[in-house]
């Protein structure tokens, strides 16, 4: 893949993460990522937690593929962490969720850290991106 393809994949992936995170609760219940009932009484299901981990792992990994220095990697990871916090803040303050779901931010952060670890594996970037093309 070229860097341009990865860039577009990252935009599409992150857009889907935002749209999926901000969809109405009734739709989340319908697809099975959220249980019905008051938020205070429904612990996050395993599927819900995997969704958070995978969504933010994917977002971070794609953006990290584009980083060309350690500093850019940490800035990218910080930006995706900011996105995770922003999504949860939007759900709480704009959509009216009664709780700020820190446990979701925790699951997102685990995915982001795992992407940081994965990108450090020797040769990952070189195998996935055709160098020299921007």
């Amino acid at each position: 893949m070229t860097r341009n393809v990865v860039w577009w994949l990252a935009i599409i992936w992150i857009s889907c993460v935002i749209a999926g995170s901000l969809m109405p609760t009734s739709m989340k219940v319908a697809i099975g990522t959220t249980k019905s009932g008051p938020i205070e009484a429904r612990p996050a299901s395993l599927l819900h937690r995997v969704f958070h981990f995978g969504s933010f792992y994917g977002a971070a990994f794609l953006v990290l593929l584009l980083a060309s220095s350690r500093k850019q990697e940490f800035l990218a990871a910080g930006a995706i962490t900011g996105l995770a916090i922003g999504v949860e803040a939007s759900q709480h303050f704009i959509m009216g969720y009664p709780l700020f779901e820190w446990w979701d931010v925790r699951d997102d952060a685990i995915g982001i850290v795992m992407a940081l670890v994965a990108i450090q594996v020797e040769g990952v970037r070189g195998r996935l991106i055709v160098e020299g093309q921007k």
Side-chain angles (χ1 to χ4, degrees):
M1 280 187 286
T2 65
R3 292 176 62 80
N4 196 35
V5 169
V6 174
W7 190 81
W8 280 105
L9 284 173
I11 289 172
I12 292 166
W13 185 275
I14 291 168
S15 297
C16 290
V17 168
I18 293 168
S21 297
L22 299 180
M23 74 171 62
T25 303
S26 60
M27 292 177 71
K28 292 178 185 179
V29 170
I31 62 173
T33 61
T34 300
K35 295 179 182 178
S36 61
I39 195 166
E40 305 87 14
R42 62 174 194 246
S45 67
L46 179 60
L47 180 61
H48 182 86
R49 294 191 68 197
V50 168
F51 177 80
H52 273 273
F53 171 81
S55 296
F56 283 87
Y57 174 91
F61 189 81
L62 288 167
V63 174
L64 288 166
L65 279 175
L66 298 170
S68 57
S69 69
R70 186 63 49 106
K71 180 179 178 181
Q72 287 182 359
E73 288 175 356
F74 285 113
L75 288 172
I80 300 299
T81 302
L83 173 65
I85 294 167
V87 163
E88 295 304 325
S90 296
Q91 289 176 340
H92 178 64
F93 294 111
I94 296 171
M95 296 176 68
Y97 285 28
L99 299 173
F100 189 97
E101 297 173 301
W102 283 107
W103 50 90
D104 284 349
V105 175
R106 175 205 56 210
D107 294 339
D108 301 340
I110 292 169
I112 294 163
V113 168
M114 293 306 294
L116 267 170
V117 169
I119 206 73
Q120 301 308 314
V121 173
E122 188 67 34
V124 166
R125 196 175 274 119
R127 283 186 295 233
L128 294 176
I129 295 184
V130 177
E131 294 297 328
Q133 297 185 9
K134 295 185 178 185

